[in-house]
Amino acid sequence: MRPNDENGKLPLDQRPFRVLIVSGSSRRQYNCPGVDSKSRMLMLRMADRLPQDWEIDYEDLGNVFGREKIQSCNACVSTSMALCCWPCNCYERGNKDEPDLMWNLDMYSRVDLADAWAVIGPVNWYAPSSSLKLMFDRLVCCNGGNPREDLIEHKNPELAMALEHKPQWKDLALNHLEGRTCGFFIYGDHAMDERKPDMRPVYLSHPGYFDPSQEPPGRRECYEALVWQCRFSGIEVPDALWRYERFGAGRKYSDNQAEHMAKDEEFLARFDAWTDELAAFVRDKGKVPPGKYRAYGYEPPKHRWADAKLWWRDRRMRLGFPKEGTSPEKQRDEGLNRDDTIDPAKGEGRKLRR
């Protein structure tokens, strides 16, 4: 059935199971590729195959012309764990200066509402697509993120550093999506059409630069970082549901499209088996109770006064007068980052060439 977000308010035994399927390819026919991806086809196939008395939510992360993108993670955790808020408050819904697809697609609420996630995506240069990597980078906040941004005046790094050392921090830093399941279905062709018999690329002019036998496997290990991010965050990724299947090896890319995959009964049988295994695992495990601090139904607090104070902090640093005792002051005094500038948006190369 279609997802009904209002069911998130129901007791666990009264709401249906819910699965979120994510198509992780960047390709969409509404941008320069001009063709939809195989992962989109598989996403829709899976949605049709899962139990229809479950809520089946899905999202395509592909690039559509003119649509906002997932903004990058600002690595707040590396300043202080308490600065990384759950859900992410580096960006906000409907912001015109930094439009963010994670917020504008309501992804934090949707991953919260689901008992399980199914991620389908290709191998791009021994790694997930940039869209998928951005999504998971922005989910760092589900692992120990601060659910009380009011305690740090929205985004004050000095207050966050102090909060991280207070006893109450232990009650706030939780795995907010603990207990959910995530399955990964990964596909690739290992660029076989671009290789010589010795597995070196056909375009290579200097074949001695590397040993093909040392090349990364290019299989399910390409998603290892995403899998272990989930596991570290209390999101279960069963080994059997972390699956790689090769498709289209040796074909021209133009002969390796969704319509070609749709005719490969052996490949589709393996995908359907993975779908069935995920459904059986989720059913046997049972519905996942919500965490203490939910992204579903979350309304960000107002922070105009906090923004004004942060604006003043920013202007002081631009002029070379950071607050006494802070990391920016220490880094300035020790000449570590040399980042005093009136125009921080200007690239370093442009500043070098002034």
Side-chain angles (χ1 to χ4, degrees):
M1 70 177 81
R2 292 188 179 186
N4 179 1
D5 294 350
E6 289 297 308
N7 286 338
K9 300 174 183 177
L10 296 175
L12 205 62
D13 61 343
Q14 294 181 24
R15 70 165 178 82
F17 279 98
R18 179 159 168 155
V19 174
L20 170 65
I21 313 171
V22 176
S23 167
S25 173
S26 294
R27 285 203 300 155
R28 286 294 300 275
Q29 66 182 17
Y30 302 108
N31 207 330
C32 58
V35 177
D36 274 330
S37 66
K38 294 181 283 291
S39 69
R40 179 179 175 85
M41 181 201 77
L42 294 174
M43 172 189 75
L44 297 173
R45 182 182 181 91
M46 185 177 194
D48 291 342
R49 187 174 182 85
L50 286 171
Q52 295 304 296
D53 57 340
W54 292 8
E55 289 187 319
I56 312 301
D57 191 11
Y58 58 75
E59 193 55 70
D60 190 333
L61 298 182
N63 291 331
V64 173
F65 179 77
R67 186 170 78 159
E68 56 275 320
K69 305 294 188 291
I70 299 176
Q71 295 283 349
S72 64
C73 173
N74 292 328
C76 296
V77 170
S78 295
T79 294
S80 166
M81 191 68 237
L83 192 62
C84 180
C85 289
W86 166 252
C88 174
N89 70 341
C90 293
Y91 308 96
E92 55 192 7
R93 185 182 290 106
N95 189 290
K96 295 181 180 179
D97 294 325
E98 292 182 308
D100 175 42
L101 203 60
M102 283 293 286
W103 274 109
N104 292 347
L105 290 178
D106 207 21
M107 290 302 289
Y108 290 108
S109 178
R110 291 163 72 184
V111 296
D112 184 357
L113 284 165
D115 296 297
W117 317 334
V119 177
I120 305 167
V123 174
N124 289 357
W125 283 120
Y126 313 96
S129 69
S130 54
S131 298
L132 262 183
K133 185 62 169 66
L134 283 167
M135 174 183 159
F136 275 86
D137 279 352
R138 293 286 304 286
L139 285 174
V140 64
C141 56
C142 79
N143 168 244
N146 180 6
R148 292 282 308 279
E149 71 164 66
D150 57 302
L151 298 177
I152 60 168
E153 294 184 353
H154 181 57
K155 216 65 179 171
N156 185 307
E158 286 74 49
L159 289 178
M161 289 176 173
L163 176 60
E164 199 173 16
H165 293 273
K166 293 180 179 179
Q168 72 182 115
W169 177 241
K170 293 182 180 180
D171 297 324
L172 298 172
L174 307 172
N175 278 330
H176 301 294
L177 298 176
E178 183 103 29
R180 285 158 184 78
T181 299
C182 187
F184 290 88
F185 188 90
I186 308 149
Y187 58 88
D189 55 28
H190 211 57
M192 294 302 291
D193 186 51
E194 301 179 69
R195 296 179 185 273
K196 299 177 182 178
D198 66 357
M199 295 299 287
R200 296 181 187 277
V202 295
Y203 318 121
L204 201 62
S205 300
H206 300 82
Y209 278 174
F210 73 98
D211 180 355
S213 69
Q214 300 300 311
E215 184 180 4
R219 296 189 291 272
R220 77 172 201 166
E221 296 84 357
C222 295
Y223 278 54
E224 188 172 34
L226 307 189
V227 169
W228 282 99
Q229 178 183 341
C230 287
R231 289 173 171 175
F232 196 89
S233 303
I235 299 158
E236 186 174 9
V237 182
D239 194 69
L241 297 181
W242 177 15
R243 191 79 55 86
Y244 171 86
E245 296 289 350
R246 184 166 290 185
F247 175 78
R251 298 180 186 177
K252 297 293 183 187
Y253 294 125
S254 53
D255 298 328
N256 189 6
Q257 304 302 313
E259 63 268 26
H260 304 107
M261 181 179 279
K263 295 179 176 63
D264 190 323
E265 294 183 3
E266 184 178 342
F267 178 90
L268 293 179
R270 295 195 295 269
F271 177 75
D272 290 345
W274 175 81
T275 297
D276 295 344
E277 287 176 43
L278 185 141
F281 185 90
V282 172
R283 184 187 296 107
D284 292 344
K285 182 176 180 177
K287 300 166 191 172
V288 180
K292 181 178 180 180
Y293 301 101
R294 303 202 67 180
Y296 169 64
Y298 176 77
E299 290 296 334
K302 305 298 182 183
H303 44 78
R304 288 186 179 179
W305 176 235
D307 284 346
K309 290 193 282 187
L310 291 172
W311 180 91
W312 176 240
R313 179 184 186 274
D314 174 84
R315 277 3 184 226
R316 285 187 54 168
M317 289 190 296
R318 293 189 189 204
L319 295 170
F321 300 102
K323 186 177 179 180
E324 185 177 353
T326 64
S327 285
E329 184 195 49
K330 294 171 185 176
Q331 292 178 17
R332 182 206 61 187
D333 291 348
E334 296 176 29
L336 301 179
N337 283 328
R338 289 173 282 177
D339 201 21
D340 297 346
T341 175
I342 298 298
D343 186 6
K346 187 179 290 185
E348 300 301 317
R350 289 183 62 191
K351 288 189 275 186
L352 280 172
R353 289 162 174 77
R354 280 186 302 198

